[in-house]
Amino acid sequence: MSQVLSAAEKAEVIEIAQELADVARIETLRHFRADGGLDAENKEVARFDPVTVADRAAEAAMREILVRRRPQDGIYGEEFGIERGRSGLTWVLDPIDGTRGYMSGTPTWGVLIALAEEGEGAPGAPLLGVIDQPYIGERFIGGLGLAQSIGPMGERALKARATRALSQATLFSTFPEVGTPEEGAAFAQLSRQVRLTRYGTDCYAYALIAAGQIDLVVEAGLQPYDVQAPIAVIEAAGGIVTNWQGGPAWAGGQVLAAANAELHAAAMAVLNG
């Protein structure tokens, strides 16, 4: 059932989302660019999927706030799993999206925070999203009537741009190897039709769509905590995010994010061609 929040509830959850981002900044910056580097554990066998003490500390700090301020809500976090709530709402937390970049000292990782409708297994539709880059002090907020960035250049409205033709579009993805070999081949076909393809900025690429700087992000193999906040932020800015077939991307998997519906349709046609 779709959640309807009162004005007071909207103000409360927006305030809490900002508080979560603030505490995650403290915990992630405590270890960023540490002398001697940062140790990481590998969460997978087939590939390098690191987790650090900073990931766990940031999520733990955010969960402490939620337990205190919104105990009725569920929590879906990358590091500490799922806690069911009773309100029909779930907070979706990715304490460091882009841990590889974080470990390497690049300022393109981010903290992802979303408030979503409760779903079966995975969270449902996101209502509010925050993409926060602690090192450069830039925060993108979308949903519940907000579409704004706050950072070194002050406060700005978020608005995705109106690029229509693939030949004029800028495309981003985290890795050159996108998903399975078949998915990678489809991405390569799309890459050949756009003006510029860039890699490696993790969640920051989605923020750039909302800020009107780029046009497309295409990825595969994602988790709900990777996409919930970006979906809310991009949609608040007038963009569109779906899976490669045009369905909801809330649960992760394949993701096609576009600045506008026309460009989204053109990219989707290539990916499915």
Side-chain angles (χ1 to χ4, degrees):
M1 183 176 69
S2 180
Q3 292 290 317
V4 179
L5 302 181
S6 68
E9 289 172 318
K10 290 179 182 178
E12 179 189 27
V13 296
I14 290 169
E15 177 188 300
I16 291 171
Q18 297 262 29
E19 185 178 352
L20 298 179
D22 288 343
V23 74
R25 279 190 180 185
I26 293 170
E27 295 299 332
T28 55
L29 290 178
R30 193 188 308 279
H31 302 280
F32 185 56
R33 296 187 179 176
D35 291 342
L38 183 66
D39 290 333
E41 299 174 23
N42 188 16
K43 294 191 288 186
E44 295 192 19
V45 175
R47 66 190 183 102
F48 183 53
D49 186 15
V51 58
T52 71
V53 63
D55 294 83
R56 294 185 175 124
E59 184 171 322
M62 289 190 284
R63 283 175 176 264
E64 287 180 7
I65 291 170
L66 291 174
V67 167
R68 174 169 47 85
R69 297 202 59 181
R70 295 284 298 187
Q72 70 273 31
D73 296 342
I75 304 175
Y76 190 109
E78 179 177 12
E79 305 306 335
F80 297 112
I82 302 170
E83 294 182 21
R84 296 294 179 188
R86 59 186 184 275
S87 66
L89 297 172
T90 297
W91 292 88
V92 186
L93 308 176
D94 189 346
I96 300 178
D97 182 85
T99 302
R100 297 168 185 83
Y102 179 88
M103 292 173 57
S104 304
T106 64
T108 53
W109 52 278
V111 178
L112 299 181
I113 299 161
L115 179 64
E117 297 178 353
E118 188 175 53
E120 293 293 331
L127 306 175
L128 174 69
V130 177
I131 303 172
D132 192 70
Q133 209 309 303
Y135 186 70
I136 60 177
E138 194 169 23
R139 183 171 298 172
F140 304 83
I141 309 168
L144 301 180
L146 288 178
Q148 66 179 23
S149 66
I150 307 166
M153 301 179 74
E155 184 174 316
R156 294 187 169 193
L158 295 176
K159 183 174 176 57
R161 64 186 184 182
T163 305
R164 296 289 189 265
L166 285 175
S167 61
Q168 295 299 309
T170 298
L171 167 67
F172 270 62
S173 193
T174 299
F175 305 110
E177 308 81 18
V178 178
T180 66
E182 293 77 15
E183 290 168 333
F187 177 87
Q189 178 65 20
L190 178 61
S191 180
R192 285 191 286 269
Q193 297 194 35
V194 302
R195 181 173 64 175
L196 176 64
T197 302
R198 300 286 292 167
Y199 300 99
T201 56
D202 298 290
C203 63
Y204 198 73
Y206 294 99
L208 292 175
I209 288 183
Q213 296 297 308
I214 70 170
D215 305 290
L216 295 164
V217 177
V218 175
E219 300 195 276
L222 301 186
Q223 299 297 323
Y225 45 74
D226 296 317
V227 298
Q228 283 271 333
I231 289 171
V233 173
I234 289 173
E235 289 183 346
I240 180 170
V241 185
T242 70
N243 62 24
W244 290 14
Q245 292 73 44
W250 312 325
Q254 296 176 336
V255 172
L256 166 57
N260 57 74
E262 187 172 338
L263 194 61
H264 176 273
M268 189 165 61
V270 175
L271 291 172
N272 291 287

